[in-house]
Amino acid sequence: MNTKQFDYFTAIAEAGSFAGAERISGISRSVLYRYLTGLEEQFGTELFDREGGGLKLNSAGKQYQLGIMRMKDVIARMQRDLQMIDGERIRELRLGIPPGFGANMLAELTPALFSAYPTLVISPLEGTTNDLFDALKEDRVSCVLSLYDAQLFPGTKIAQCTESELLLVLPFTHPLSLKYRHDTERIHDISHEDLLSLADTDFAYLSSSTAVGQIIDRVMRHFGLKPKIFFRLQSSAALYHLVRTSNVASFFVEDVIPEDNDLQLFRLPVRTYVKGGLIFRENYEPTAEEETLFSLYSNLRMHTHPETISMNDLARTMLAHDKEKSYGNQNL
């Protein structure tokens, strides 16, 4: 099996045409056409629907694409095992990850890391944000993939990927929303007085990391908010549904603001930024593996929200990074 031809299929699927695939792969469209025709003859079925001069993956093509990804993973693992047997230096990445957010992101990024570093061994430590920062200070991990607030965790530095405001979201039926309903601006800076009007309101918050909960707790205590009930949700869709269908208020930290006419968003008057990225001890110099992880994570966050990322988006982001940085195997 010629594994280089996996890239032909990926390019055709991504571009939706032979001309576009030629631009992506650098392979002539005549070669790509013969490749796809021969592949479909081999399987006895079409892998793309031909629509108006374009090519769109059908169910058989999607299944073949999934098989390609699985085979590439097997090949990468085999290469790594063989190189370890051959005595190549084993690289270790000691990484702290919070449940949910960190684990999900690491799962998305692992294939590209193994492609760049076939002998890489990832040693993850999962725990609450406080536990992970203790581990960071004690040198049990070299970095932490998490959200971050400098006031909560002194003595650390961050390779920043995102910057998001702490926002308050309310249903339009809430009295505070009705107060601003006819304003032209969708997001308002909420006053201290308006915040205090929520003192006895039920609250929910979006928390893919325990750091978010700590930050929101600190903000609520600062403003004297004492909610009756606190809901902790890990899904933004669930949070928006809860807010939309009740008079629950909610804080969330996100770089994608929901386009929802039933919700009203407010900025906090004191800008509380929560940054996402790799957190290190002060004066620690990141390794090449850690810098690669940060770069992949940064590109991933820039291109799409992690909750809605598709495998095509992931493969496209990783391939673009691999070509730009010339890290190892280009057959991502």
Side-chain angles (χ1 to χ4, degrees), residues 148-254:
Y148 174 80
D149 186 297
Q151 295 181 48
L152 287 174
F153 305 110
T156 55
K157 64 180 181 180
I158 185 170
Q160 180 184 331
C161 296
T162 64
E163 190 167 56
S164 304
E165 288 182 271
L166 187 60
L167 300 176
L168 171 71
V169 56
L170 293 172
F172 258 138
T173 55
H174 193 282
L176 193 56
S177 295
L178 294 173
K179 178 180 175 181
Y180 294 94
R181 188 165 188 170
H182 300 295
D183 288 5
T184 55
E185 292 295 325
R186 173 161 164 68
I187 299 182
H188 308 273
D189 289 325
I190 190 169
S191 69
H192 195 166
E193 182 180 302
D194 283 337
L195 259 181
L196 289 178
S197 72
L198 301 171
D200 295 322
T201 305
D202 296 344
F203 267 86
Y205 71 93
L206 182 66
S207 177
S208 55
S209 165
T210 50
V212 178
Q214 291 176 311
I215 292 161
I216 292 173
D217 179 67
R218 179 160 58 84
V219 169
M220 295 186 81
R221 282 189 281 108
H222 174 76
F223 285 102
L225 297 176
K226 297 178 180 178
K228 293 184 294 183
I229 302 176
F230 227 120
F231 303 91
R232 180 179 182 273
L233 301 170
Q234 291 196 356
S235 165
S236 58
L239 180 142
Y240 300 141
H241 176 74
L242 179 64
V243 174
R244 202 181 301 116
T245 56
S246 65
N247 256 12
V248 171
S250 176
F251 281 120
F252 75 110
V253 179
E254 202 166 336

Side-chain angles (χ1 to χ4, degrees), residues 63-315:
Q63 189 64 35
Y64 183 71
Q65 187 180 46
L66 180 61
I68 284 178
M69 296 181 66
R70 288 173 175 167
M71 285 187 282
K72 286 183 176 181
D73 184 55
V74 170
I75 292 168
R77 291 177 184 275
M78 183 169 58
Q79 288 175 335
R80 188 167 65 254
D81 292 343
L82 290 173
Q83 287 169 335
M84 289 171 69
I85 292 172
D86 197 37
E88 279 202 18
R89 182 174 73 88
I90 299 174
R91 302 167 182 263
E92 183 182 19
L93 179 60
R94 296 180 300 131
L95 180 64
I97 52 174
F101 165 80
N104 289 340
M105 292 304 297
L106 183 60
E108 301 280 17
L109 297 171
T110 295
L113 275 173
F114 283 164
S115 176
Y117 302 99
T119 61
L120 181 66
V121 174
I122 299 177
S123 300
L125 176 66
E126 188 176 60
T128 66
T129 307
N130 277 338
D131 291 340
L132 293 177
F133 278 87
D134 286 342
L136 191 66
K137 294 172 184 175
E138 296 166 6
D139 200 27
R140 288 184 281 126
V141 295
S142 58
C143 57
V144 174
L145 179 64
S146 183
L147 300 177
Y148 174 80
D149 186 297
Q151 295 181 48
L152 287 174
F153 305 110
T156 55
K157 64 180 181 180
I158 185 170
Q160 180 184 331
C161 296
T162 64
E163 190 167 56
S164 304
E165 288 182 271
L166 187 60
L167 300 176
L168 171 71
V169 56
L170 293 172
F172 258 138
T173 55
H174 193 282
L176 193 56
S177 295
L178 294 173
K179 178 180 175 181
Y180 294 94
R181 188 165 188 170
H182 300 295
D183 288 5
T184 55
E185 292 295 325
R186 173 161 164 68
I187 299 182
H188 308 273
D189 289 325
I190 190 169
S191 69
H192 195 166
E193 182 180 302
D194 283 337
L195 259 181
L196 289 178
S197 72
L198 301 171
D200 295 322
T201 305
D202 296 344
F203 267 86
Y205 71 93
L206 182 66
S207 177
S208 55
S209 165
T210 50
V212 178
Q214 291 176 311
I215 292 161
I216 292 173
D217 179 67
R218 179 160 58 84
V219 169
M220 295 186 81
R221 282 189 281 108
H222 174 76
F223 285 102
L225 297 176
K226 297 178 180 178
K228 293 184 294 183
I229 302 176
F230 227 120
F231 303 91
R232 180 179 182 273
L233 301 170
Q234 291 196 356
S235 165
S236 58
L239 180 142
Y240 300 141
H241 176 74
L242 179 64
V243 174
R244 202 181 301 116
T245 56
S246 65
N247 256 12
V248 171
S250 176
F251 281 120
F252 75 110
V253 179
E254 202 166 336
D255 52 4
V256 177
I257 296 173
E259 292 293 335
D260 194 322
N261 292 328
D262 293 329
L263 301 176
Q264 175 67 55
L265 277 72
F266 297 88
R267 294 186 187 93
L268 285 185
V270 178
R271 292 187 180 261
T272 304
Y273 288 108
V274 178
K275 302 178 177 66
L278 282 186
I279 299 104
F280 305 96
R281 297 181 305 281
E282 274 187 324
N283 303 319
Y284 175 83
E285 294 301 324
T287 65
E289 293 85 351
E290 289 162 346
E291 289 181 343
T292 302
L293 174 65
F294 163 69
S295 180
L296 289 167
Y297 173 52
S298 180
N299 288 337
L300 201 61
R301 292 288 304 217
M302 283 168 50
H303 280 77
T304 183
H305 193 270
E307 290 184 3
T308 58
I309 189 166
S310 69
M311 293 308 296
N312 280 340
D313 288 336
L314 179 66

Side-chain angles (χ1 to χ4, degrees), residues 46-63:
E46 291 188 346
L47 302 174
F48 290 85
D49 292 331
R50 274 69 171 173
E51 299 178 351
L55 298 167
K56 184 178 180 180
L57 280 174
N58 57 26
S59 57
K62 290 177 181 177
Q63 189 64 35

